[in-house]
Amino acid sequence: MHRLPSLALIALLLPTAALSYEGAVHREEVDGGVHVPVLTKPPALVHFEAAVYPEEAQREGLAGDVTLAVTIAADGKVADAVVTGPAGHGFDEAAVAAVKQFTFTPAEVDGAPAPIQIEYVYHFTLEVPDAGSAPPPPPPQATLKGRLVARGSRKRVIAGSVRCGNAADAPEAVSDEEGLFALQLTPGPCAITATANGFEPYRTSEALEPGETREVVYYLVPKAIGFETVVRGEREKKEVVRRTVERQEMERIPGTFGDPLRVIQNFPGVARAPAISGALIVRGASPDETNIFMDGVEIPILYHLGGGPSVVNEEFLDHVDFYPGGFGARYGRAIGGAVDVATRKGASDTWHGAAKIDFLDSSFFLEAPVLPGVSVAAAARRSYVDVLIPLVQPDNSITAVPRYWDYQVRVDWGSSRKPVAGQPMSSFYLMAFGSDDILKVLATGGFRNRDINLDVHTLFHRVKGDWTYRSGGFSSVFAPFLGYDLGEASFGISKLKADQYSIGFREDASLEVQPWLTARAGADVMFEHLVGTAELPLLSGVQYAGFPGAEPAAPTQSLQRSPNTFDGALYLEADFKLGQLTLTPGVRSSYARVYGHDLWATEPRFWARWQPFKRFAIKGSAGLYSQPPESTDMDAEPFGTPTLHHEWAFQTSVGVEQKITDVINVDLTGFFNRRYDRVVAPGLTTDDENGLSHTDRFGNLGLGRAYGLEVLLKHELTKEFFGWLAYTLSRTEQRRVGARDYRLGTFDQTHILTAVGSYRLPHGWEIGARFRYVTGRPYAHLDHTYDVVSMDTTGFSCRRQPADSSRFPDFNQLDVRLDRSWLFDNFTLSVYADVQNVYNAQNIETYFNDYRCREEVPVPGIPVLPVLGVKGTF
Amino acid sequence: MGRARSVLVAVVTAAAAGCLSIPDDPTTVHDLRVLGIATDPAELMAPVCPTISGGGIAIPQEDLATYTASVTLTALLVDPNGGGRPISYELFACSSLGDRTCEKESETVLVTSGQTTAGVFTYTFRPGTILLPNGTPLLAQVLENDTVYHGLGGIRVPLVLHVGAQGEEIFAQKIMLYSCQFFADQRANVAPALPGLQLNGEPWPADPGVLPLSGRGPFRTLPDDLTPLEETYVVPSIPDQEGTVSRIDLVESWKLSWYTDYGTFSSSTTGGTDAAGRESRHNNEWRLPATPEERDVTYWVVVRDGRGGLSWSTWRAHYTP
C-alpha cells in the first residue's frame, strides 16, 4: 500500500497575539500625530513544496499535523520556519524542510511589502492510491460558492481554505476579504473541509449535479470564543509610562461591575478610592488634577453619579491610554495624570451589534456599513434602578432615585480605502456623545420635621469631528469640537445651575524630517462660556457675619455670573534617534484668559529612552505641568479670589522595561512629583490700606510632593490568558506655604498591590479574578479626655490624635468573575457573574463618632456583592 | 460640576450614617452634662457705633458704661446619676472664639472658680471690664482678633465654663455679645422663652407639676406656636468691593434641644431654617427603653434664638408601664 502525503494550507498572519481582522483589513490609526502601522494585504502562497513523507511514519501508517511559525521576508521568501506544534516521527523535520522552500506573495503593511510571521499547519495524511495509473480527474462541472462566517459574531473569515476531499491535488479555494469563495469541482458527492487559522475545521458533504452552482454559508467555530485582537503595530513609546488597555481586556476584569473603564483603578500609581467611588487618585494628586479625554476632547466625568458605570459603552471602546504622569506636550491643563479613551469606528463588513442587561441598566450597540466607505456605530444605555427602587421602598421612608443614561454615535468615512503608495490619504469621522445623571432624594409628610426634596442633575454633550491626513512621512489630525455641560441642583427654595458652552479644536501634526528626526507640533484651543445662576438665601459667614449656630430665615437672593474662559496652547516636540538613544525635548506654551485675567504658562518637558537591547530599555522624563484655576474660584470677593494663577507640578520619573518573552514584560518606574501653587482655602491674610486685615477666600498656597516606585508585570492578551501584577510603593505629602512640616496626603497609601488575571476555559467558559491588598490611608483617631461643647451651636468639638498618627486598617478583597458563552450561527449569548468581595472581608471605609466625640463606630465597605449580566452580540 | 458631585457624596454619607447604630443618644442624659448657659442680658448694645474705614467697628469710647454693665451667667448642670456629688467649676473669659478651652494663657482670665452641685449655677460679673494679663482690655483684644468681620457681627466674647466631677470633665463655651447700633432700628436681643409644651395635643404643665404617664405611647410633644415670638432683626453685611455695608433683615428661627433622663427623644434638635430656606417643625416623640420601669422622669428643653439668647424649661412626669 502506498501512502501519499497531503496537506492543508492554513495561512494566518500577524505577529504575536493577533488573531483576526475586524471588518476591513485597513484602518487608519494615528496616535497623537504618530502613525501606527496597519496590515493592508496578507501573504498568499504561490509555490508549494511537497514534503517527503517520513519513512518511519509511512511504515507505521501514521499521519500527523505539524504547526510552524513561518517568517516571510519582504520579498516573499521564507526567512525562517520554527516548529511550534510538533508531531514527532520525522514529520517536524520534513515539514520544516518543505516550508523553507515555499514562496509567497509578500505581505503589505501600509501598502508596502513588509516582513511578517504567520502560523502554518502542515498536514501529513495517508491515502491509498488506485492500482495502476490513476486517471486524471474529470474537468470541474459544478461550482460551490459561498461565504465563510465566524459563528456567533458573523464576522467574515478571511484567507480560509475550502477543499473538496483530502487528495494532494484536491480542488481548493481561499476566501477573500469578504469571506467569499468559489470552488470549481467535479459533480457528485464531495467531502468538504473548511479551515482557517483560529477556527475549528468545519466538515460537511455536498453533492452537486453537473452544471449546478450552489451557494452556501459555512459557520466556522472559533477555537477561542470571545477573544480577538486587532492588528496593530507597536506604537513608539515616548512617555516613561503609558498604560494601554485593549477593549478585550477591559471587558473581563473582575470587580468592575462589568464596566471596562474601571480597569484604570487596577494600574500602579492609582490609589484605591473609597468604597465604589470612581475617583482617580493618581500619584497622590487629587481627582480634579487628572484630566479625562475621549478621543482627545476633555470630558467632565468618567463615571455616572460619581461612582457608577462609565459614561461610554464598552463596545465603543477601542483602547484606553492612561498616563500616571509625564505625559506628552499635546496634553495639558492637568498637574496629575491623563486618561485618553479612544473609540473605534463601526464595522465595514456587515451589521453587528450587542445588547446587555444587568441589575443596574440595559444598553445596546449597533454598527454597520451604510454606504461604500461609510460606516456608522451607535450605542445607548439607560438605567432602570429608578423604576425598581420605588417598588420596594417602604412608605414614609426616604426615597433616593438615581437615573442615568448615555449615548455615542460615530460616522466614519474614507478610512476603509486602501492606501496607495505615494498618494496622500484622508479619513474623517464625526462623533456625538453625551451623558446624563439625575439623583432625586424625596422625603415628605408623616412625622418628619423637615421635608427633603433634593434634585441633582448633571449632563454633558460633545460633538467632535476628526480629519486625519497622511502623505508620506507627514500626518495630521485636526479635531474640532462643540460641547455643552449642565450642572444643577435644587433643594427647597435654593437652586443652583451652571450652563457651560464650549468650542475648540485640536491639531496634531507629525513629520518625519529625517530617519533620525521626527517633529511633532500642534495646537490645543478651547473657549468656554459659563452661565451660572443661583437662587439661595443670603450666605451666613460669606455675605454677613452670622452668629455661630444661627439658622435664621434670610432673604433670598439671585446671583448670576457669566465668566468666559479662553485657553489656547501650542506645543512642539522632536524625537532625535541617535542609535539606541532617543531624546525628545518638548515644550507646551499656553495663554489663558479667565474672568478677565491673563494667565501665561510655559512648560518645558523632556524624555529620553535608551534601548541597548531589543527587549530592554531605560527611560526617563522631567517636565513642568500646569493647571489653570477654576473660573468660579476667580469670581469677585467674597465668593472667590480674582488674583489666582496656575497651579504647577514638576514631574520626574525614571524606569526600565524588560520584555521577558513575547507576551510577558515587566516595567519598573520610580517617580518624584512636586506640586506647588495649589489652590487652597483660606487664602492669604493681608492688611489693607486702612490697617484692617483681610483674608482671601482662596490662595495659591498649597504645596505637595509624591514619590515612589511602580512595578507592573504583565502578560499580554493571548488566546487563553491575560493578566498583570501591579505594585506601588509611594508616599504623598502636603503642606501649606508657611507651615513648617509636610504631613501625609489624605489618600496616601504606602503599599498598593493588585493582581488581575483572566483565563479562558474550554466550552465557552472563562474565569477571572482580582485580588487587592492596600495599606490604609492616614487617619487621626479620636483623642477624648474631656467634652468640649458650644452652647450656641450645640456642637461638640472632636479632639484628635496628631494628623499622621495612625492609619485605617489594611484593605484586602478578592473579586471573581465567571463568564459563559454560547455560540449560535448568527449571535453569541454570554452570561456573567461578577462577585465582589468573595470572602466578605470586613474592610473599614470610614468612621462615624458619637455626638460627644468619645467613641468611633467603623463603617464597613461593601459586603459580598454579586452582579449578574446577560449580553448578546451578533 | 464638582460641587454637584459633592452633594451626591454628602447624601450617600448621610444615608450611611442613618443606617449605623451610634451609641450614646444625645437626648439621653445619664452623666454630667452642661445643657445650657444663658447670659442676662443676652446682648449689650451701645447706642453709638464708631465705624472703621474699610468695614468694621471700633469700641464706642463715648459709651463705655453700656459695655461695662453687669451680666448674670446662668448654667444648667445636670448629673442624674451623680447622687448629688460635688462639681468643681472654673469660669474663664478669653479672646478667641476658636480657643474652646481658653488654652492661650496670655489671652485668658480666670473669672471665678469653686464647687457646686447639679442644678442651676449662677454668677454675676462685668465681662466688659476684664483686663488680660498684659493689661489689654478683653473686649479690645477680642475685636483685634476678629480679622474676618472686624466687629460687624458684634464683639463676641467667649466665656468658658469648665466643670468636673470624678473624672468627668466638660468645657462649655458661651458667647457674650457686645454690639452697637449700626442701623437706627437695631435693637438688643431679648432672650427667648418657651411659651408652653403640649403632650399628645394636651397642655403639659411645666415643673414643678408632675404629669402621670403610662403605657407604651406614643408620647408626642410639640411646643406652642413660636412664630409670634421670633424677632425680626437687622445686621450689617460684609462690605462689598466698594466698601459699602448694607442692611440685611433676618427673622429668628428658634432651635429647641430636647433632653431626658430616661428613654430618648426621636429628634435631638428641632427648628432652624436650613440652606434650602425651609423652617423645620418641632414635632418630637419621647420613646421608652425596651423594658420600661416605673419611675420619675425629667425632661429639659433648651431654646436658642441664634443670636446668643438661650433659656430652658423643665418638665417632670411619673411613668408607669
Side-chain angles (χ1 to χ4, degrees), chain A residues 449 491 493-494 545 693 787 791, chain B residues 8 150 156 171 275-276 283 304:
Chain A
N449 281 325
F491 37 99
I493 61 168
S494 297
S693 62
D787 293 347
M791 290 293 104
Chain B
L8 296 177
H150 308 294
R156 299 167 177 176
F171 287 84
N283 295 304
R304 295 170 173 84

Side-chain angles (χ1 to χ4, degrees), chain A residues 286-597:
Chain A
S286 57
D288 63 340
E289 292 171 344
T290 291
N291 261 353
I292 302 162
F293 303 89
M294 189 148 137
D295 286 345
V297 177
E298 276 187 58
I299 57 174
I301 56 171
L302 199 51
Y303 304 107
H304 287 290
L305 298 168
S310 67
V311 298
V312 185
N313 188 298
E314 65 200 50
E315 294 291 332
F316 239 107
L317 299 174
D318 182 78
H319 64 274
V320 174
D321 286 329
F322 168 57
Y323 306 88
F327 42 85
R330 72 187 292 259
Y331 296 112
R333 306 189 197 101
I335 59 172
V339 177
D340 200 345
V341 179
T343 61
R344 67 178 181 89
K345 74 177 190 67
S348 56
D349 56 347
T350 185
W351 282 89
H352 295 282
K356 183 176 154 191
I357 299 173
D358 61 29
F359 81 104
L360 282 177
D361 57 52
S362 290
S363 63
F364 80 88
F365 171 81
L366 285 173
E367 56 176 337
V370 294
L371 290 170
V374 180
S375 63
V376 175
R381 177 204 342 248
R382 208 267 192 209
S383 68
Y384 37 65
V385 66
D386 55 316
V387 175
L388 298 177
I389 284 180
L391 299 177
V392 299
Q393 194 88 29
D395 292 334
N396 249 356
S397 59
I398 295 177
T399 302
V401 180
R403 188 218 75 192
Y404 58 85
W405 56 269
D406 59 65
Y407 70 94
Q408 301 90 43
V409 179
R410 174 168 163 163
V411 180
D412 284 78
W413 67 97
S415 59
S416 57
R417 191 162 56 86
K418 287 188 183 180
V420 177
Q423 295 284 331
M425 280 273 313
S426 275
S427 65
F428 308 88
Y429 76 81
L430 193 63
M431 181 156 187
F433 57 97
S435 159
D436 190 298
D437 296 345
I438 282 182
L439 176 66
K440 289 182 192 288
V441 181
L442 187 66
T444 58
F447 199 56
R448 196 166 278 111
N449 281 325
R450 211 189 303 263
D451 295 334
I452 299 173
N453 196 341
L454 172 69
D455 247 290
V456 180
H457 184 200
T458 59
L459 66 82
F460 74 87
H461 299 291
R462 298 284 184 272
V463 176
K464 183 209 158 180
D466 187 290
W467 171 34
T468 300
Y469 175 86
R470 278 191 52 234
S471 177
F474 173 76
S475 65
S476 160
V477 179
F478 176 70
F481 73 89
L482 296 170
Y484 172 65
D485 297 50
L486 168 74
E488 59 183 350
S490 70
F491 37 99
I493 61 168
S494 297
K495 293 176 180 30
L496 305 170
K497 186 177 179 193
D499 292 272
Q500 181 168 286
Y501 307 87
S502 54
I503 186 171
F505 72 89
R506 179 187 285 277
E507 163 62 35
D508 297 294
S510 170
L511 175 65
E512 187 179 315
V513 179
Q514 295 289 333
W516 52 270
L517 174 60
T518 300
R520 287 182 296 280
D524 176 8
V525 177
M526 67 140 199
F527 174 78
E528 291 174 346
H529 175 62
L530 176 71
V531 179
T533 57
E535 283 181 23
L536 65 170
L538 289 172
L539 300 171
S540 172
V542 177
Q543 293 174 289
Y544 67 94
F547 194 87
E551 293 181 11
T556 305
Q557 61 183 324
S558 291
L559 300 171
Q560 180 160 346
R561 296 287 189 272
S562 298
N564 292 330
T565 301
F566 171 82
D567 194 315
L570 299 173
Y571 76 87
L572 187 62
E573 282 179 0
D575 293 331
F576 293 90
K577 291 182 186 140
L578 311 169
Q580 299 166 340
L581 182 66
T582 302
L583 302 175
T584 305
V587 65
R588 179 183 175 100
S589 190
S590 66
Y591 162 73
R593 187 165 174 84
V594 185
Y595 245 124
H597 295 268

Side-chain angles (χ1 to χ4, degrees), chain A residues 356-360 384 831-835 865-870:
Chain A
K356 183 176 154 191
I357 299 173
D358 61 29
F359 81 104
L360 282 177
Y384 37 65
V831 174
Y832 71 87
D834 188 345
V835 183
L865 182 63
V867 172
L868 300 175
V870 178

Side-chain angles (χ1 to χ4, degrees), chain A residues 3 5 51-64 66 87-95 122 124-126:
Chain A
R3 298 180 189 271
V52 175
Y53 212 99
E55 282 186 25
E56 174 196 346
Q58 196 163 10
R59 195 167 48 246
E60 295 180 20
L62 297 173
V66 179
H89 303 289
F91 288 126
D92 305 332
E93 295 78 6
Y122 202 114
F124 290 85
T125 59
L126 291 169

